[in-house]
Structures are given as structure tokens and as C-alpha cells.
């Protein structure tokens, strides 16, 4: 599918994977609406072709308003890339007792339900657009994680939320096939993103050393590169693709 002269939504667009993806889509001619929390958008990069809309993906009213804005951005809405997410950690039984259920619910609400909410509302709008070749109307790319397969100690909430994203992929691809909408997921490994901004260089080097090849952290621009390739490859559908340098995570 051609990217030029389409409208796109990118969530988590103020930084990291989302910012890189929004920039790349805009560079290729898409009219991008970037979703993120209002506080995060205060520091969002200024990018030609990207306009920002304050959206908390865990709030259905925010999502509906944001999707409406994207669908009225002067081109047919055909592309969605869900990058918004949080990655806190907590053990099932820790020093302070059992895992906090509100904490668990918050991670699921943002990472899984938020992803689904944006996907469902956006799919409703994409389904209204004129069909292209093969009846195609659009593509939705969600962000899973290798934690969906290799969840580590303390990642019960995060890993299960990302496993849910993987579980959505084939089911939603089949569900939305009648509307000409493809659904895919990317499962990144260890990416040099704001989530790692607080760790030391020594610890960062240790993480990189565990990656078979290339022996370094992944870059947000590489995620954006893969997202664009998935958008443009019309026969890829219902698949979760690992982007991890062949890394398989140890228990801790």
C-alpha cells in the first residue's frame, strides 16, 4: 500500500518508537496524527507532516476524539501504528506481599485495552474509505514485545499485556479481512528508547552484549523502518514479527 497522500495515526508519538515512526511516515508523504499524553506532547519533536492530539489511550472518549481528528486530516485514514505503552515491573510475591491488582490492571488497560481501543475505532473509520487494489483499505500495526514470549522476573503484568497484543493479531486480521484491513504486530527486543534513559552505560553495555547479532541495542528508527515495510507489503497479514537480533531473554 502506498503511504503518500494517506492519513496515519501513531500512538506514543512524543518519543521513542512512536516519534521515529511518525517522522518516517511523514517523510514518505503521510499526514500523521500523533497521539500521546498531554504532558508528553509538551516535549514532542516538531516534525513537518505530523500534528499532535492529546490522547490517553486508556480513555475511550480521548480515543474517539483523536481518531475523528485523524480521519479528518485531509486524506483517507489507512495506517495505524500503536506504540503507546508502559513497562513497570513487580513480582507476583515481593517484599511487600502479593502483586498489587490495581498496578496489574493499569498495565493491561494501557498496553492491551488501549491498543485494542485505538485499533477498533480506527478500523471503523478505515472501513469507510474507498477500496484500493485487492479490496485493501488499510493496515494496523500493534506493538508487542519479546516479553510476550520470554517474560522475565517481575514482568507478569507487562508480559501478559504484550501476550494479549500477540493474541489479538491473527484474530483481528481475520475479523477485519471483510473490510480490507490488515493487522500485524512487531515484537521488539531491547530498544534504545526513553524507557532505558535512566540506566547506566555499564548496564546498557551488558544488555547489548546479550544480543547475538548485531550485538547492540535496537534503534527506534529500525522499528520505523520495519513498520513502513509492513505497510507497503500487501501480502503480510495476521503475523507477529520479532525485531530482536535473535535475542532470547533469560529469566532475569
Amino acid at each position: 500500500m502506498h503511504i503518500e497522500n494517506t492519513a496515519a495515526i501513531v500512538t506514543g508519538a512524543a518519543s521513542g518508537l512512536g516519534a521515529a515512526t511518525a517522522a518516517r511516515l511523514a517523510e514518505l508523504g503521510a499526514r500523521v496524527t500523533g497521539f500521546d499524553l498531554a504532558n508528553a506532547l509538551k516535549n514532542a519533536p516538531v516534525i513537518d507532516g505530523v500534528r499532535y492530539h492529546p490522547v490517553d489511550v486508556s480513555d475511550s472518549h480521548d480515543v474517539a476524539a483523536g481518531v475523528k481528528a485523524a480521519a479528518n486530516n485531509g486524506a483517507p485514514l489507512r495506517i495505524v501504528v500503536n506504540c503507546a505503552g508502559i513497562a513497570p515491573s513487580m513480582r507476583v510475591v515481593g517484599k511487600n506481599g502479593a502483586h498489587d491488582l490495581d498496578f496489574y490492571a493499569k498495565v493491561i488497560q494501557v498496553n492491551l485495552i488501549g491498543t485494542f481501543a485505538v485499533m477498533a475505532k480506527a478500523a471503523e473509520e478505515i472501513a469507510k474509505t474507498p477500496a484500493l487494489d485487492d479490496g485493501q483499505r488499510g493496515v494496523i500495526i500493534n506493538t508487542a514485545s519479546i516479553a510476550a514470549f520470554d517474560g522475565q522476573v517481575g514482568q507478569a503484568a507487562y508480559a501478559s499485556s504484550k501476550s494479549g497484543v500477540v493474541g489479538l493479531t491473527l484474530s483481528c486480521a481475520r475479523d477485519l479481512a471483510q473490510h480490507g484491513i490488515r493487522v500485524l504486530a512487531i515484537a521488539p527486543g531491547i530498544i534504545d528508547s526513553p524507557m532505558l534513559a535512566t540506566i547506566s552505560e555499564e548496564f546498557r553495555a551488558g544488555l547489548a552484549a546479550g544480543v547475538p547479532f548485531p550485538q547492540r541495542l535496537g534503534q527506534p528508527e529500525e522499528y520505523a523502518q520495519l513498520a513502513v515495510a509492513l505497510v507497503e507489503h500487501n501480502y503480510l497479514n495476521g503475523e507477529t514479527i520479532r525485531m530482536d537480533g535473535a535475542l532470547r531473554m533469560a529469566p532475569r
Side-chain angles (χ1 to χ4, degrees):
M1 189 176 68
H2 296 298
I3 293 172
E4 189 175 11
N5 297 321
T6 64
I9 291 170
V10 178
T11 72
S15 63
L17 304 180
T21 302
R24 183 60 179 148
L25 288 171
E27 182 182 345
L28 293 173
R31 299 188 180 193
V32 180
T33 303
F35 293 0
D36 216 316
L37 298 174
N39 286 340
L41 290 179
K42 293 176 182 178
N43 299 312
V46 177
I47 303 169
D48 287 342
V50 179
R51 69 176 188 179
Y52 295 103
H53 198 94
V55 173
D56 178 346
V57 297
S58 66
D59 184 311
S60 61
H61 297 291
D62 274 12
V63 169
V67 170
K68 183 177 180 180
N72 290 297
N73 198 8
L77 178 62
R78 298 199 183 277
I79 300 167
V80 177
V81 185
N82 275 308
C83 296
I86 56 175
S89 63
M90 183 179 290
R91 294 193 179 213
V92 177
V93 178
K95 294 178 180 179
N96 297 318
H99 199 296
D100 183 88
L101 290 182
D102 289 337
F103 177 99
Y104 184 89
K106 177 64 175 179
V107 177
I108 298 297
Q109 184 69 39
V110 174
N111 291 356
L112 180 56
I113 298 176
T115 292
F116 182 77
V118 174
M119 177 169 58
K121 289 302 294 183
E124 182 181 28
E125 293 297 330
I126 295 171
K128 299 174 184 177
T129 63
L132 304 172
D133 294 343
D134 295 328
Q136 182 172 208
R137 288 187 170 85
V139 57
I140 299 169
I141 299 170
N142 298 321
T143 303
S145 168
I146 62 170
F149 312 103
D150 308 330
Q152 294 186 293
V153 167
Q155 287 190 324
Y158 182 70
S160 55
S161 72
K162 293 302 186 177
S163 295
V165 172
V166 173
L168 286 174
T169 307
L170 181 58
S171 178
C172 292
R174 289 171 167 173
D175 206 11
L176 294 174
Q178 63 180 314
H179 302 293
I181 301 170
R182 294 182 291 122
V183 180
L184 294 146
I186 298 173
I190 305 174
I191 307 299
D192 192 4
S193 69
M195 286 186 180
L196 295 183
T198 60
I199 69 173
S200 67
E201 285 301 322
E202 181 181 5
F203 190 72
R204 187 186 299 267
L207 290 174
V211 180
F213 186 81
Q215 204 167 71
R216 59 172 175 79
L217 303 183
Q219 297 300 311
E221 291 75 17
E222 291 174 310
Y223 176 98
Q225 179 185 15
L226 179 54
V228 165
L230 299 186
V231 169
E232 294 180 332
H233 198 306
N234 293 342
Y235 205 62
L236 277 173
N237 194 13
E239 189 63 67
T240 298
I241 299 172
R242 294 179 67 130
M243 190 193 85
D244 59 14
L247 175 64
R248 299 298 180 267
M249 298 293 284
R252 65 183 75 217

